[in-house]
């Protein structure tokens, strides 16, 4: 992970969970941004008028549809709709959304603030360790909690196992009530599907 990305992640850590993203989107309905793809470090004021600009857009939608532009080496600049700059309160939200989209692609990103925009690009130099480090920073997107937060899981191994088993049973019961026979209980057991 490059130093600029590491610094911006540290500045806005802990990264948001999917629940926080969802809540933010509920409070800020119809979140739209201006996005533009540019060649690396080649942003200019008139970039917003280029063919690769997506004004008043949904970030997820644009990134999914135009992922090839990033693969081609372009950087994505994101600003508040109609302002030409991004307010800081949206940076953590946007980084989490971008990381969430990239989890599917298993692609690491570089982030920086440049020209008052959040700039995201694919980290082409990333090796396995860089990718592990990047996605660990966004670990709680999926889990909903942070490494350094007391999760309620007991430290004693036996107690922790009992606690997690109880959670699994409660989850299984809830899912069985919702899905009935279609739900395969004990999804923590990798042999469930192969059991005779």
């Amino acid at each position: 992970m490059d130093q600029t990305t590491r610094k911006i992640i540290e500045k806005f850590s802990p990264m948001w969970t999917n629940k926080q993203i969802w809540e933010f989107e509920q409070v800020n309905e119809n979140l739209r941004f201006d996005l533009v793809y540019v060649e690396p470090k080649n942003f200019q004021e008139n970039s917003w008028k280029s063919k690769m600009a997506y004004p008043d857009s949904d970030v997820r939608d644009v990134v999914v549809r135009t992922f090839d532009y990033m693969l081609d080496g372009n950087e994505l600049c994101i600003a508040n709709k109609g302002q030409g700059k991004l307010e800081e309160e949206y940076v953590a939200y946007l980084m989490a959304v971008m990381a969430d989209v990239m989890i599917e692609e298993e692609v690491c990103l570089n982030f920086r603030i440049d020209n008052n925009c959040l700039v995201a690009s694919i980290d082409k130099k990333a090796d396995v360790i860089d990718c592990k480090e990047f996605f660990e920073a966004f670990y709680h997107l999926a889990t909903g909690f942070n490494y350094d937060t007391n999760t309620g899981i007991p430290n004693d191994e036996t107690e922790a196992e009992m606690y997690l088993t109880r959670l699994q049973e409660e989850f299984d019961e809830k899912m069985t009530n919702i899905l009935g026979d279609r739900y395969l209980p004990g999804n923590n057991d990798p042999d469930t599907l192969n059991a005779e």
Side-chain angles (χ1 to χ4, degrees):
M1 192 161 37
D2 77 8
Q3 289 305 314
T4 310
T5 303
R6 183 176 277 111
K7 280 183 185 150
I8 195 170
I9 285 174
E10 281 170 11
K11 180 177 179 181
F12 291 97
S13 275
M15 290 293 113
W16 287 20
T17 65
N18 275 325
K19 182 172 183 281
Q20 286 173 299
I21 292 172
W22 181 82
E23 287 169 348
F24 190 75
E25 289 172 344
Q26 298 310 300
V27 173
N28 301 280
E29 285 182 44
N30 200 20
L31 266 178
R32 315 276 291 176
F33 295 89
D34 291 343
L35 297 89
V36 63
Y37 283 100
V38 296
E39 289 179 11
K41 297 187 171 43
N42 200 17
F43 176 86
Q44 290 150 13
E45 209 44 55
N46 65 354
S47 296
W48 295 116
K49 295 180 174 72
S50 77
K51 287 181 184 170
M52 293 177 76
Y54 295 86
D56 189 7
S57 296
D58 176 273
V59 173
R60 265 191 194 88
D61 179 53
V62 169
V63 173
V64 169
R65 282 189 299 114
T66 59
F67 182 63
D68 285 350
Y69 293 160
M70 288 185 101
L71 286 176
D72 292 341
N74 294 295
E75 296 181 327
L76 179 63
C77 303
I78 309 172
N80 285 82
K81 183 174 82 171
Q83 294 182 21
K85 62 185 173 71
L86 183 67
E87 292 171 37
E88 193 171 274
E89 68 179 287
Y90 296 102
V91 173
Y93 163 76
L94 287 168
M95 289 194 331
V97 167
M98 291 291 294
D100 190 37
V101 171
M102 293 303 149
I103 287 170
E104 286 286 302
E105 307 294 340
E106 295 182 353
V107 168
C108 303
L109 295 175
N110 284 326
F111 290 116
R112 71 177 193 279
I113 301 290
D114 207 355
N115 298 300
N116 298 313
C117 299
L118 176 66
V119 181
S121 60
I122 291 177
D123 188 348
K124 300 237 180 205
K125 295 178 185 161
D127 58 18
V128 174
I129 293 163
D130 289 324
C131 282
K132 180 176 182 289
E133 194 180 7
F134 177 80
F135 284 111
E136 277 178 356
F138 292 91
Y139 173 77
H140 27 288
L141 258 176
T143 63
F145 56 78
N146 306 324
Y147 286 123
D148 57 356
T149 302
N150 182 355
T151 60
I153 299 173
N155 289 331
D156 178 76
E157 197 174 328
T158 309
E159 285 179 28
E161 202 169 309
M162 287 167 46
Y163 174 81
L164 293 170
T165 301
R166 185 174 54 81
L167 284 184
Q168 182 66 49
E169 286 168 356
E170 286 173 5
F171 179 78
D172 288 343
E173 186 180 334
K174 182 175 158 189
M175 294 308 290
T176 303
N177 289 339
I178 295 169
L179 297 173
D181 293 341
R182 290 176 296 162
Y183 178 66
L184 298 173
N187 64 2
N188 59 344
D189 175 9
D191 294 329
T192 300
L193 292 172
N194 302 320
E196 291 186 25

